[in-house]
Amino acid sequence: MATPNEAVQAALKIDGAKATAMVDIETGMTLATAGSGIDLEVAGAGNTEVLRAKLRVMDSTGIQGPIEDIMIILKDQFHIIHPLTAATGQGLFLYLALEKDKANLAMARRQLENIEKAIEI
């Protein structure tokens, strides 16, 4: 089983990964970080607000179901917000920033799912 630090280290090995963090949805604080080029404390807090906003919209509109991923596509990067399921630590998410020209988005999402399965909180 993987700890939060082991999980972000594993995520950093995904092709194209630039930076990654495990973040608490309630507080916006990072539990573990890896990588560089991004202030992960700021990114964790900011992406917490993105996730909370989407959850509020879902609640307001009656949309059901868990969020698998929120993807933000920039000119040269992919950013993935991957909420963790209740089995691995509800109230947490993995944030992953990828270099667009070095990453395979479908593979990155699949690898995040595999990392999530190994997490023990």
Side-chain angles (χ1 to χ4, degrees):
M1 292 293 173
T3 66
N5 283 325
E6 291 168 337
V8 296
Q9 289 299 324
L12 195 59
K13 293 177 184 173
I14 295 171
D15 287 343
K18 181 179 178 101
T20 184
M22 184 179 292
V23 183
D24 182 313
I25 295 169
E26 293 297 315
T27 64
M29 295 183 71
T30 58
L31 302 178
T33 64
S36 63
I38 295 174
D39 183 334
L40 289 167
E41 299 293 330
V42 172
N47 285 303
T48 298
E49 292 305 315
V50 171
L51 182 54
R52 287 178 185 164
K54 183 58 185 172
L55 290 169
R56 282 192 303 272
V57 169
M58 289 173 65
D59 187 51
S60 297
T61 59
I63 296 172
Q64 299 294 312
I67 296 171
E68 288 184 22
D69 290 308
I70 295 174
M71 293 181 285
I72 300 166
I73 301 170
L74 305 174
K75 179 181 176 192
D76 59 352
Q77 295 179 14
F78 296 123
H79 290 224
I80 302 172
I81 300 167
H82 181 81
L84 301 180
T85 63
T88 56
Q90 190 171 19
L92 302 174
F93 68 90
L94 285 171
Y95 164 70
L96 177 64
L98 300 156
E99 294 181 53
K100 203 175 197 181
D101 62 343
K102 296 179 183 175
N104 178 318
L105 188 55
M107 286 301 296
R109 291 184 67 218
R110 175 73 104 180
Q111 288 171 293
L112 282 177
E113 289 172 5
N114 289 335
I115 291 166
E116 176 183 5
K117 290 175 186 172
I119 294 171
E120 184 176 295
I121 304 294

